[in-house]
Amino acid sequence: QKEVEQDPGPLSVPEGAIVSLNCTYSNSAFQYFMWYRQYSRKGPELLMYTYSSGNKEDGRFTAQVDKSSKYISLFIRDSQPSDSATYLCAMSAQAGNNRKLIWGLGTSLAVNP
Amino acid sequence: DAGITQSPRYKITETGRQVTLMCHQTWSHSYMFWYRQDLGHGLRLIYYSAAADITDKGEVPDGYVVSRSKTENFPLTLESATRSQTSVYFCASSAPKRETQYFGPGTRLLVL
């Protein structure tokens, strides 16, 4: 069993929909949680960063961490065709121990006009 | 404002040849990483470096060699390329005590 599980999709939604992307993990030591967005034929880019539990909001994007359930989510409100990309979750157990980023496989999202 | 660059962006080679992929960052980040990304496997760490002259193996280091004589450069060498090394290779960097990594645009390598 992988340390981080992420449904690869693909997920297809109409423009304006609310999108929910999720990852589950097994290592209770994870404290640092990230979401990256990767456009086709590009490198991943950092989208959201969260420490420990709780919510973080940035514009149309909200990241949630539920450590009791070992579950993280990324919500995209009012989704746009420009949000079409692969979304990867990543997490880490120790501060500064950044060689230990553990990655999900990524979820492919298509937002249709 | 170059950030992190990789060269070449595309490379075709033959089995048994030596190939070097280049990575250069302008942020003076101490940590640098090499990943490969394959369908069904996601991002897998090949090697990483905590500083100049300090490197360590990641999840899939076999067949690869790295060096880091300068903070800003982190070349990855495939000593004798195999078809299984056909992949997209990403270089990334991060600052000390920061979990977030910043990625280059990638190199698409095809080994025939």
Side-chain angles (χ1 to χ4, degrees):
Chain A
Q1 184 186 1
K2 286 183 174 293
E3 277 191 283
V4 177
E5 298 280 359
Q6 184 176 11
D7 187 338
L11 186 61
S12 181
V13 301
E15 183 175 353
I18 296 174
V19 176
S20 173
L21 304 167
N22 311 295
C23 288
T24 58
Y25 61 94
S26 56
N27 187 346
S28 58
F30 288 148
Q31 299 186 73
Y32 303 89
F33 304 93
M34 284 143 271
W35 286 97
Y36 283 77
R37 178 176 62 195
Q38 185 175 21
Y39 290 116
S40 181
R41 306 182 84 84
K42 301 285 188 184
E45 57 177 335
L46 179 68
L47 195 58
M48 300 286 281
Y49 169 76
T50 312
Y51 169 69
S52 193
S53 284
N55 293 1
K56 185 173 183 179
E57 189 174 320
D58 183 2
R60 296 184 296 109
F61 298 90
T62 299
Q64 281 187 355
V65 175
D66 182 348
K67 292 188 72 179
S68 61
S69 302
K70 298 191 183 71
Y71 190 89
I72 68 171
S73 300
L74 177 70
F75 296 97
I76 307 174
R77 291 185 300 281
D78 187 25
S79 56
Q80 302 295 309
S82 59
D83 295 327
S84 298
T86 296
Y87 291 80
L88 301 109
C89 63
M91 44 199 83
S92 173
Q94 296 176 268
N97 193 14
N98 46 24
R99 66 186 179 275
K100 293 292 188 183
L101 271 187
I102 309 300
W103 296 84
L105 291 183
T107 299
S108 176
L109 170 68
V111 180
N112 305 303
Chain B
D1 192 39
I4 185 164
T5 56
Q6 294 183 236
S7 62
R9 296 292 314 279
Y10 303 91
K11 177 73 177 178
I12 300 174
T13 191
E14 296 176 337
T15 55
R17 290 192 181 263
Q18 183 178 80
V19 177
T20 295
L21 310 183
M22 304 301 293
C23 179
H24 176 79
Q25 52 105 354
T26 59
W27 294 309
S28 299
H29 283 169
S30 58
Y31 279 87
M32 295 187 75
F33 308 83
W34 274 107
Y35 291 91
R36 59 179 291 174
Q37 188 175 39
D38 305 283
L39 200 62
H41 292 280
L43 282 167
R44 290 184 290 176
L45 183 64
I46 303 171
Y47 269 97
Y48 67 96
S49 169
D53 298 322
I54 301 174
T55 61
D56 208 347
K57 295 177 180 179
E59 183 185 352
V60 288
D62 293 344
Y64 302 95
V65 174
V66 293
S67 61
R68 194 160 175 214
S69 57
K70 292 184 177 182
T71 299
E72 61 267 30
N73 296 324
F74 191 37
L76 175 73
T77 298
L78 289 66
E79 292 190 298
S80 178
T82 65
R83 289 197 182 91
S84 64
Q85 293 178 310
T86 291
S87 186
V88 182
Y89 290 85
F90 288 104
C91 179
S93 71
S94 69
K97 299 183 181 179
R98 292 288 183 267
E99 291 68 38
T100 52
Q101 297 180 12
Y102 298 90
F103 284 78
T107 294
R108 290 183 171 269
L109 176 67
L110 175 61
V111 183
L112 299 175

